[in-house]
Amino acid sequence: MAHSIYVRKIVEGDESAWKTLAHAIHTRTEAVLLARRLASSYPESGANPFKRVFWFRDRTGLHEICAAPER
């Protein structure tokens, strides 16, 4: 099953809709590794194991990024 990477911006108390960042990734493992690498490319980043997402902060604010089966 193909997987995608999704990203969304988090604003205090509000979460935007998920947007597709990449698709047609062959395995979940590849998608998760890529999402983790993308998030960790920012100096301020981490993981939220309870929500199964990674997060990063850039000049525009806080974002979540995750890997999931294609929708």
Side-chain angles (χ1 to χ4, degrees):
M1 172 185 296
H3 284 72
S4 294
I5 295 176
Y6 301 97
V7 65
R8 68 178 170 181
K9 186 171 183 175
I10 306 295
V11 180
E12 281 188 46
D14 190 25
E15 300 173 341
S16 64
W18 288 102
K19 295 179 182 174
T20 303
L21 184 63
H23 67 97
I25 301 168
H26 295 291
T27 68
R28 175 168 170 64
T29 301
E30 290 174 324
V32 169
L33 289 174
L34 184 54
R36 182 175 9 166
R37 285 187 199 132
L38 288 166
S40 66
S41 70
Y42 290 87
E44 194 175 348
S45 63
N48 184 336
F50 298 106
K51 292 174 68 177
R52 293 185 168 178
V53 299
F54 300 98
W55 61 268
F56 63 92
R57 186 179 307 275
D58 66 7
R59 61 181 171 73
T60 65
L62 181 64
H63 304 268
E64 288 183 328
I65 185 170
C66 73
E70 287 192 347
R71 299 178 185 164

